[in-house]
Amino acid sequence: MSFTEPTPATEATTTTTIDQLKDYKGLKYDPNDPKFAGLGKNAIKRILRDEIWDSKKQQRLEQQREKTKQRKAERRQLISDGVIEPPPKKQRRPEITLTNVGVVIDCSFSSYMVKKEIQSLQSQLLHCHGSNRGAVLSVPLTVTSFDAPLQQVLDDKVVGWSNWKNIKFETQPYEDLYAKEDLVYLSADSEDVIEELEQGKTYIIGGIVDKNRYKGLCQEKATQQGIKTGRLPIGEYLQMASRKVLTVNHVLEIMLKWLEHRDWEKAFMEVIPMRKLKDSSLVKEKEEKEEEKEKEKEKEEQ
Ligand code: SAH
């Protein structure tokens, strides 16, 4: 009994037999494949090259693993032969030192922001957490009114955020968590200037990115709630190019630097990027110092 391969009726006109298959660097392909329709020779080659590259991914990975294994084994041998020094023992991250100055990031403004702005806020929170962890003196940090839209962006963008240490995420608003008299809402619009960060107080930063669309928003909110407000003494030290409203992470970083140096001027200079500073005598001083340093370097090199 002879066997003939059945050919489906619908494909009768386009089916390619095995001997019509073409070869590109060992890869057999069907020139009638619809994915090549209308493409020139070079475009087809590009697709085939990509397919070959993809098909060898596993092989490449295995080769890479083998190489790494070999390199490690060689290194271990060199260490045990005393040819090279063993690597220094990894140091554990030092414990953080907490102050008694609390900071709350009030994230109750999701409805004022478009998705992109919520994403910016998420990135600012990431910076806040990093700066606080790395600070000489860290603050107890709490995110309040933590809601679903913000959580969604964190879930999408930040792996393991829920395991972050030294930061609390609370769905409740700050007014349910703290006594009013211990709170100070930070606002660029406040008439009161913050001279010092007081132990035992909790400072609220408005968790909003709004490109200044909602001027005075946090000031108004705090006043309505009967909560004290205060602005950082920014105008007293530096003139900013654009405006005196800072991002959430810059506000926190300035506070952390103040706790370290007890000096607003120094804190600002370390945190606010140079491009935001205009005509500041401090900047000029800094530039002059840098120029001097450069000149000295040049002299030494001569
Ligand atoms: N449009 C918002 C500002 C958002 S800026 C508003 O006017 O309320 C984000 C937050 O950073 C502010 O809510 C405030 O808490 C803090 N902030 C920014 N600049 C500040 C400044 N110069 N002094 C004190 N807090 C500031």
Side-chain angles (χ1 to χ4, degrees), residues 175-204:
E175 56 270 30
D176 289 357
L177 300 165
Y178 302 86
K180 262 185 199 177
E181 54 277 18
D182 295 335
L183 293 172
V184 180
Y185 210 124
L186 295 174
S187 164
D189 303 294
S190 178
E191 284 179 0
D192 295 322
V193 175
I194 299 208
E195 306 288 351
E196 293 206 335
L197 299 173
E198 281 178 56
Q199 295 289 320
K201 291 256 184 266
T202 294
Y203 294 85
I204 310 169

PDB file of all heavy atoms in Angstrom, residues 175-204:
ATOM      1  N   GLU A 175      -4.628  62.566  59.898  1.00  0.00           N
ATOM      2  CA  GLU A 175      -5.406  63.118  61.007  1.00  0.00           C
ATOM      3  C   GLU A 175      -5.972  62.020  61.918  1.00  0.00           C
ATOM      4  O   GLU A 175      -6.320  62.292  63.060  1.00  0.00           O
ATOM      5  CB  GLU A 175      -6.495  64.098  60.516  1.00  0.00           C
ATOM      6  CG  GLU A 175      -7.484  63.582  59.503  1.00  0.00           C
ATOM      7  CD  GLU A 175      -7.048  63.783  58.047  1.00  0.00           C
ATOM      8  OE1 GLU A 175      -5.839  63.784  57.768  1.00  0.00           O
ATOM      9  OE2 GLU A 175      -7.945  63.892  57.192  1.00  0.00           O
ATOM     10  N   ASP A 176      -6.044  60.786  61.401  1.00  0.00           N
ATOM     11  CA  ASP A 176      -6.504  59.662  62.247  1.00  0.00           C
ATOM     12  C   ASP A 176      -5.347  59.035  63.016  1.00  0.00           C
ATOM     13  O   ASP A 176      -5.554  58.193  63.876  1.00  0.00           O
ATOM     14  CB  ASP A 176      -7.134  58.563  61.377  1.00  0.00           C
ATOM     15  CG  ASP A 176      -8.467  58.985  60.806  1.00  0.00           C
ATOM     16  OD1 ASP A 176      -8.917  60.108  61.137  1.00  0.00           O
ATOM     17  OD2 ASP A 176      -9.043  58.210  60.021  1.00  0.00           O
ATOM     18  N   LEU A 177      -4.135  59.397  62.656  1.00  0.00           N
ATOM     19  CA  LEU A 177      -2.977  58.699  63.232  1.00  0.00           C
ATOM     20  C   LEU A 177      -2.169  59.544  64.222  1.00  0.00           C
ATOM     21  O   LEU A 177      -1.414  59.010  65.011  1.00  0.00           O
ATOM     22  CB  LEU A 177      -2.035  58.225  62.100  1.00  0.00           C
ATOM     23  CG  LEU A 177      -2.650  57.248  61.086  1.00  0.00           C
ATOM     24  CD1 LEU A 177      -1.773  57.145  59.850  1.00  0.00           C
ATOM     25  CD2 LEU A 177      -2.816  55.875  61.716  1.00  0.00           C
ATOM     26  N   TYR A 178      -2.268  60.868  64.102  1.00  0.00           N
ATOM     27  CA  TYR A 178      -1.439  61.750  64.938  1.00  0.00           C
ATOM     28  C   TYR A 178      -2.297  62.802  65.633  1.00  0.00           C
ATOM     29  O   TYR A 178      -3.364  63.172  65.129  1.00  0.00           O
ATOM     30  CB  TYR A 178      -0.393  62.480  64.074  1.00  0.00           C
ATOM     31  CG  TYR A 178       0.526  61.567  63.315  1.00  0.00           C
ATOM     32  CD1 TYR A 178       0.155  61.068  62.066  1.00  0.00           C
ATOM     33  CD2 TYR A 178       1.764  61.199  63.831  1.00  0.00           C
ATOM     34  CE1 TYR A 178       0.988  60.219  61.358  1.00  0.00           C
ATOM     35  CE2 TYR A 178       2.614  60.349  63.127  1.00  0.00           C
ATOM     36  CZ  TYR A 178       2.217  59.860  61.890  1.00  0.00           C
ATOM     37  OH  TYR A 178       3.048  59.028  61.198  1.00  0.00           O
ATOM     38  N   ALA A 179      -1.754  63.307  66.743  1.00  0.00           N
ATOM     39  CA  ALA A 179      -2.432  64.421  67.418  1.00  0.00           C
ATOM     40  C   ALA A 179      -2.117  65.698  66.639  1.00  0.00           C
ATOM     41  O   ALA A 179      -0.956  65.920  66.255  1.00  0.00           O
ATOM     42  CB  ALA A 179      -1.916  64.538  68.846  1.00  0.00           C
ATOM     43  N   LYS A 180      -3.162  66.493  66.383  1.00  0.00           N
ATOM     44  CA  LYS A 180      -3.010  67.702  65.562  1.00  0.00           C
ATOM     45  C   LYS A 180      -1.850  68.589  66.021  1.00  0.00           C
ATOM     46  O   LYS A 180      -1.104  69.139  65.216  1.00  0.00           O
ATOM     47  CB  LYS A 180      -4.291  68.531  65.649  1.00  0.00           C
ATOM     48  CG  LYS A 180      -5.209  68.315  64.488  1.00  0.00           C
ATOM     49  CD  LYS A 180      -6.372  69.262  64.597  1.00  0.00           C
ATOM     50  CE  LYS A 180      -7.502  68.759  63.729  1.00  0.00           C
ATOM     51  NZ  LYS A 180      -8.690  69.573  63.838  1.00  0.00           N
ATOM     52  N   GLU A 181      -1.743  68.727  67.363  1.00  0.00           N
ATOM     53  CA  GLU A 181      -0.737  69.680  67.875  1.00  0.00           C
ATOM     54  C   GLU A 181       0.698  69.227  67.619  1.00  0.00           C
ATOM     55  O   GLU A 181       1.628  70.025  67.756  1.00  0.00           O
ATOM     56  CB  GLU A 181      -0.974  69.993  69.367  1.00  0.00           C
ATOM     57  CG  GLU A 181      -1.061  68.813  70.294  1.00  0.00           C
ATOM     58  CD  GLU A 181      -2.459  68.166  70.344  1.00  0.00           C
ATOM     59  OE1 GLU A 181      -3.276  68.409  69.429  1.00  0.00           O
ATOM     60  OE2 GLU A 181      -2.711  67.400  71.290  1.00  0.00           O
ATOM     61  N   ASP A 182       0.880  67.953  67.252  1.00  0.00           N
ATOM     62  CA  ASP A 182       2.240  67.483  66.973  1.00  0.00           C
ATOM     63  C   ASP A 182       2.586  67.601  65.488  1.00  0.00           C
ATOM     64  O   ASP A 182       3.676  67.240  65.064  1.00  0.00           O
ATOM     65  CB  ASP A 182       2.390  66.001  67.377  1.00  0.00           C
ATOM     66  CG  ASP A 182       2.240  65.824  68.875  1.00  0.00           C
ATOM     67  OD1 ASP A 182       2.493  66.803  69.601  1.00  0.00           O
ATOM     68  OD2 ASP A 182       1.840  64.722  69.299  1.00  0.00           O
ATOM     69  N   LEU A 183       1.618  68.072  64.715  1.00  0.00           N
ATOM     70  CA  LEU A 183       1.821  68.091  63.260  1.00  0.00           C
ATOM     71  C   LEU A 183       2.177  69.473  62.728  1.00  0.00           C
ATOM     72  O   LEU A 183       1.674  70.480  63.233  1.00  0.00           O
ATOM     73  CB  LEU A 183       0.550  67.603  62.551  1.00  0.00           C
ATOM     74  CG  LEU A 183       0.161  66.128  62.757  1.00  0.00           C
ATOM     75  CD1 LEU A 183      -1.215  65.863  62.149  1.00  0.00           C
ATOM     76  CD2 LEU A 183       1.194  65.202  62.117  1.00  0.00           C
ATOM     77  N   VAL A 184       3.030  69.507  61.711  1.00  0.00           N
ATOM     78  CA  VAL A 184       3.305  70.744  60.969  1.00  0.00           C
ATOM     79  C   VAL A 184       3.245  70.373  59.491  1.00  0.00           C
ATOM     80  O   VAL A 184       3.962  69.480  59.049  1.00  0.00           O
ATOM     81  CB  VAL A 184       4.720  71.306  61.280  1.00  0.00           C
ATOM     82  CG1 VAL A 184       4.969  72.585  60.480  1.00  0.00           C
ATOM     83  CG2 VAL A 184       4.906  71.553  62.762  1.00  0.00           C
ATOM     84  N   TYR A 185       2.356  71.037  58.770  1.00  0.00           N
ATOM     85  CA  TYR A 185       2.254  70.748  57.330  1.00  0.00           C
ATOM     86  C   TYR A 185       3.226  71.666  56.598  1.00  0.00           C
ATOM     87  O   TYR A 185       3.164  72.885  56.737  1.00  0.00           O
ATOM     88  CB  TYR A 185       0.820  70.978  56.825  1.00  0.00           C
ATOM     89  CG  TYR A 185       0.461  70.073  55.657  1.00  0.00           C
ATOM     90  CD1 TYR A 185      -0.644  69.239  55.706  1.00  0.00           C
ATOM     91  CD2 TYR A 185       1.248  70.040  54.515  1.00  0.00           C
ATOM     92  CE1 TYR A 185      -0.969  68.396  54.643  1.00  0.00           C
ATOM     93  CE2 TYR A 185       0.944  69.202  53.451  1.00  0.00           C
ATOM     94  CZ  TYR A 185      -0.165  68.380  53.528  1.00  0.00           C
ATOM     95  OH  TYR A 185      -0.452  67.553  52.476  1.00  0.00           O
ATOM     96  N   LEU A 186       4.118  71.094  55.823  1.00  0.00           N
ATOM     97  CA  LEU A 186       5.076  71.908  55.076  1.00  0.00           C
ATOM     98  C   LEU A 186       4.413  72.452  53.819  1.00  0.00           C
ATOM     99  O   LEU A 186       3.752  71.715  53.085  1.00  0.00           O
ATOM    100  CB  LEU A 186       6.289  71.067  54.687  1.00  0.00           C
ATOM    101  CG  LEU A 186       7.129  70.554  55.859  1.00  0.00           C
ATOM    102  CD1 LEU A 186       8.209  69.616  55.370  1.00  0.00           C
ATOM    103  CD2 LEU A 186       7.740  71.709  56.619  1.00  0.00           C
ATOM    104  N   SER A 187       4.580  73.735  53.618  1.00  0.00           N
ATOM    105  CA  SER A 187       4.014  74.336  52.408  1.00  0.00           C
ATOM    106  C   SER A 187       4.841  75.555  52.019  1.00  0.00           C
ATOM    107  O   SER A 187       5.180  76.381  52.880  1.00  0.00           O
ATOM    108  CB  SER A 187       2.568  74.761  52.674  1.00  0.00           C
ATOM    109  OG  SER A 187       2.163  75.646  51.658  1.00  0.00           O
ATOM    110  N   ALA A 188       5.128  75.650  50.725  1.00  0.00           N
ATOM    111  CA  ALA A 188       5.901  76.796  50.232  1.00  0.00           C
ATOM    112  C   ALA A 188       5.110  78.092  50.430  1.00  0.00           C
ATOM    113  O   ALA A 188       5.671  79.185  50.400  1.00  0.00           O
ATOM    114  CB  ALA A 188       6.233  76.589  48.764  1.00  0.00           C
ATOM    115  N   ASP A 189       3.787  77.977  50.631  1.00  0.00           N
ATOM    116  CA  ASP A 189       2.939  79.157  50.762  1.00  0.00           C
ATOM    117  C   ASP A 189       2.743  79.617  52.204  1.00  0.00           C
ATOM    118  O   ASP A 189       2.018  80.587  52.447  1.00  0.00           O
ATOM    119  CB  ASP A 189       1.556  78.863  50.162  1.00  0.00           C
ATOM    120  CG  ASP A 189       1.668  78.428  48.727  1.00  0.00           C
ATOM    121  OD1 ASP A 189       2.081  79.247  47.902  1.00  0.00           O
ATOM    122  OD2 ASP A 189       1.388  77.248  48.434  1.00  0.00           O
ATOM    123  N   SER A 190       3.349  78.930  53.136  1.00  0.00           N
ATOM    124  CA  SER A 190       3.132  79.292  54.536  1.00  0.00           C
ATOM    125  C   SER A 190       3.811  80.612  54.876  1.00  0.00           C
ATOM    126  O   SER A 190       4.854  80.960  54.315  1.00  0.00           O
ATOM    127  CB  SER A 190       3.671  78.195  55.447  1.00  0.00           C
ATOM    128  OG  SER A 190       3.506  78.559  56.795  1.00  0.00           O
ATOM    129  N   GLU A 191       3.183  81.339  55.799  1.00  0.00           N
ATOM    130  CA  GLU A 191       3.810  82.587  56.241  1.00  0.00           C
ATOM    131  C   GLU A 191       4.861  82.318  57.307  1.00  0.00           C
ATOM    132  O   GLU A 191       5.691  83.170  57.603  1.00  0.00           O
ATOM    133  CB  GLU A 191       2.731  83.527  56.798  1.00  0.00           C
ATOM    134  CG  GLU A 191       1.934  84.138  55.664  1.00  0.00           C
ATOM    135  CD  GLU A 191       0.850  85.060  56.144  1.00  0.00           C
ATOM    136  OE1 GLU A 191       0.702  85.234  57.361  1.00  0.00           O
ATOM    137  OE2 GLU A 191       0.154  85.595  55.271  1.00  0.00           O
ATOM    138  N   ASP A 192       4.774  81.145  57.905  1.00  0.00           N
ATOM    139  CA  ASP A 192       5.734  80.811  58.965  1.00  0.00           C
ATOM    140  C   ASP A 192       6.955  80.095  58.380  1.00  0.00           C
ATOM    141  O   ASP A 192       6.808  79.160  57.592  1.00  0.00           O
ATOM    142  CB  ASP A 192       5.075  79.909  60.013  1.00  0.00           C
ATOM    143  CG  ASP A 192       3.969  80.652  60.726  1.00  0.00           C
ATOM    144  OD1 ASP A 192       4.151  81.851  60.979  1.00  0.00           O
ATOM    145  OD2 ASP A 192       2.919  80.034  60.984  1.00  0.00           O
ATOM    146  N   VAL A 193       8.103  80.571  58.801  1.00  0.00           N
ATOM    147  CA  VAL A 193       9.342  79.949  58.324  1.00  0.00           C
ATOM    148  C   VAL A 193       9.825  78.945  59.367  1.00  0.00           C
ATOM    149  O   VAL A 193       9.766  79.219  60.569  1.00  0.00           O
ATOM    150  CB  VAL A 193      10.422  81.030  58.087  1.00  0.00           C
ATOM    151  CG1 VAL A 193      11.752  80.387  57.710  1.00  0.00           C
ATOM    152  CG2 VAL A 193       9.970  81.980  56.997  1.00  0.00           C
ATOM    153  N   ILE A 194      10.252  77.806  58.888  1.00  0.00           N
ATOM    154  CA  ILE A 194      10.764  76.792  59.818  1.00  0.00           C
ATOM    155  C   ILE A 194      12.228  77.091  60.117  1.00  0.00           C
ATOM    156  O   ILE A 194      13.060  77.067  59.199  1.00  0.00           O
ATOM    157  CB  ILE A 194      10.625  75.398  59.180  1.00  0.00           C
ATOM    158  CG1 ILE A 194       9.161  75.156  58.930  1.00  0.00           C
ATOM    159  CG2 ILE A 194      11.300  74.322  60.022  1.00  0.00           C
ATOM    160  CD1 ILE A 194       8.677  73.789  58.925  1.00  0.00           C
ATOM    161  N   GLU A 195      12.513  77.390  61.356  1.00  0.00           N
ATOM    162  CA  GLU A 195      13.914  77.677  61.706  1.00  0.00           C
ATOM    163  C   GLU A 195      14.636  76.385  62.034  1.00  0.00           C
ATOM    164  O   GLU A 195      15.784  76.189  61.663  1.00  0.00           O
ATOM    165  CB  GLU A 195      13.987  78.615  62.925  1.00  0.00           C
ATOM    166  CG  GLU A 195      13.193  79.916  62.789  1.00  0.00           C
ATOM    167  CD  GLU A 195      13.820  80.902  61.822  1.00  0.00           C
ATOM    168  OE1 GLU A 195      14.952  80.655  61.384  1.00  0.00           O
ATOM    169  OE2 GLU A 195      13.160  81.907  61.491  1.00  0.00           O
ATOM    170  N   GLU A 196      13.936  75.522  62.763  1.00  0.00           N
ATOM    171  CA  GLU A 196      14.528  74.266  63.216  1.00  0.00           C
ATOM    172  C   GLU A 196      13.496  73.161  63.111  1.00  0.00           C
ATOM    173  O   GLU A 196      12.303  73.422  63.258  1.00  0.00           O
ATOM    174  CB  GLU A 196      14.894  74.375  64.695  1.00  0.00           C
ATOM    175  CG  GLU A 196      15.977  75.336  64.985  1.00  0.00           C
ATOM    176  CD  GLU A 196      16.704  74.940  66.259  1.00  0.00           C
ATOM    177  OE1 GLU A 196      16.094  74.256  67.086  1.00  0.00           O
ATOM    178  OE2 GLU A 196      17.876  75.309  66.384  1.00  0.00           O
ATOM    179  N   LEU A 197      13.942  71.939  62.909  1.00  0.00           N
ATOM    180  CA  LEU A 197      13.019  70.800  62.977  1.00  0.00           C
ATOM    181  C   LEU A 197      12.995  70.349  64.433  1.00  0.00           C
ATOM    182  O   LEU A 197      14.042  70.088  65.015  1.00  0.00           O
ATOM    183  CB  LEU A 197      13.513  69.677  62.064  1.00  0.00           C
ATOM    184  CG  LEU A 197      13.598  70.056  60.586  1.00  0.00           C
ATOM    185  CD1 LEU A 197      14.260  68.946  59.784  1.00  0.00           C
ATOM    186  CD2 LEU A 197      12.207  70.349  60.027  1.00  0.00           C
ATOM    187  N   GLU A 198      11.791  70.314  64.978  1.00  0.00           N
ATOM    188  CA  GLU A 198      11.688  70.040  66.424  1.00  0.00           C
ATOM    189  C   GLU A 198      11.507  68.558  66.712  1.00  0.00           C
ATOM    190  O   GLU A 198      10.709  67.879  66.039  1.00  0.00           O
ATOM    191  CB  GLU A 198      10.465  70.777  66.983  1.00  0.00           C
ATOM    192  CG  GLU A 198      10.701  72.248  67.236  1.00  0.00           C
ATOM    193  CD  GLU A 198       9.419  72.894  67.737  1.00  0.00           C
ATOM    194  OE1 GLU A 198       8.851  72.437  68.742  1.00  0.00           O
ATOM    195  OE2 GLU A 198       8.977  73.852  67.074  1.00  0.00           O
ATOM    196  N   GLN A 199      12.226  68.072  67.703  1.00  0.00           N
ATOM    197  CA  GLN A 199      12.052  66.693  68.169  1.00  0.00           C
ATOM    198  C   GLN A 199      10.608  66.510  68.633  1.00  0.00           C
ATOM    199  O   GLN A 199      10.027  67.426  69.219  1.00  0.00           O
ATOM    200  CB  GLN A 199      13.004  66.413  69.336  1.00  0.00           C
ATOM    201  CG  GLN A 199      14.480  66.473  68.964  1.00  0.00           C
ATOM    202  CD  GLN A 199      14.915  65.311  68.098  1.00  0.00           C
ATOM    203  OE1 GLN A 199      14.500  64.182  68.323  1.00  0.00           O
ATOM    204  NE2 GLN A 199      15.739  65.582  67.100  1.00  0.00           N
ATOM    205  N   GLY A 200      10.047  65.370  68.355  1.00  0.00           N
ATOM    206  CA  GLY A 200       8.680  65.083  68.807  1.00  0.00           C
ATOM    207  C   GLY A 200       7.603  65.554  67.844  1.00  0.00           C
ATOM    208  O   GLY A 200       6.449  65.172  67.955  1.00  0.00           O
ATOM    209  N   LYS A 201       8.002  66.392  66.868  1.00  0.00           N
ATOM    210  CA  LYS A 201       7.000  66.855  65.894  1.00  0.00           C
ATOM    211  C   LYS A 201       7.033  65.954  64.661  1.00  0.00           C
ATOM    212  O   LYS A 201       8.049  65.314  64.364  1.00  0.00           O
ATOM    213  CB  LYS A 201       7.315  68.280  65.445  1.00  0.00           C
ATOM    214  CG  LYS A 201       7.105  69.313  66.533  1.00  0.00           C
ATOM    215  CD  LYS A 201       5.823  70.080  66.277  1.00  0.00           C
ATOM    216  CE  LYS A 201       5.596  71.203  67.259  1.00  0.00           C
ATOM    217  NZ  LYS A 201       4.767  70.850  68.408  1.00  0.00           N
ATOM    218  N   THR A 202       5.922  65.939  63.943  1.00  0.00           N
ATOM    219  CA  THR A 202       5.862  65.198  62.688  1.00  0.00           C
ATOM    220  C   THR A 202       5.550  66.196  61.572  1.00  0.00           C
ATOM    221  O   THR A 202       4.572  66.943  61.656  1.00  0.00           O
ATOM    222  CB  THR A 202       4.790  64.089  62.755  1.00  0.00           C
ATOM    223  OG1 THR A 202       5.223  63.126  63.730  1.00  0.00           O
ATOM    224  CG2 THR A 202       4.626  63.389  61.423  1.00  0.00           C
ATOM    225  N   TYR A 203       6.395  66.217  60.579  1.00  0.00           N
ATOM    226  CA  TYR A 203       6.260  67.169  59.469  1.00  0.00           C
ATOM    227  C   TYR A 203       5.610  66.466  58.279  1.00  0.00           C
ATOM    228  O   TYR A 203       6.032  65.368  57.899  1.00  0.00           O
ATOM    229  CB  TYR A 203       7.639  67.735  59.101  1.00  0.00           C
ATOM    230  CG  TYR A 203       8.196  68.582  60.233  1.00  0.00           C
ATOM    231  CD1 TYR A 203       8.902  67.986  61.288  1.00  0.00           C
ATOM    232  CD2 TYR A 203       7.966  69.948  60.277  1.00  0.00           C
ATOM    233  CE1 TYR A 203       9.377  68.744  62.352  1.00  0.00           C
ATOM    234  CE2 TYR A 203       8.434  70.716  61.336  1.00  0.00           C
ATOM    235  CZ  TYR A 203       9.136  70.109  62.366  1.00  0.00           C
ATOM    236  OH  TYR A 203       9.584  70.865  63.419  1.00  0.00           O
ATOM    237  N   ILE A 204       4.601  67.123  57.739  1.00  0.00           N
ATOM    238  CA  ILE A 204       3.868  66.510  56.615  1.00  0.00           C
ATOM    239  C   ILE A 204       4.320  67.131  55.304  1.00  0.00           C
ATOM    240  O   ILE A 204       4.384  68.360  55.171  1.00  0.00           O
ATOM    241  CB  ILE A 204       2.338  66.727  56.749  1.00  0.00           C
ATOM    242  CG1 ILE A 204       1.878  66.319  58.145  1.00  0.00           C
ATOM    243  CG2 ILE A 204       1.590  65.961  55.678  1.00  0.00           C
ATOM    244  CD1 ILE A 204       0.436  66.746  58.437  1.00  0.00           C
TER     245      ILE A 204
END
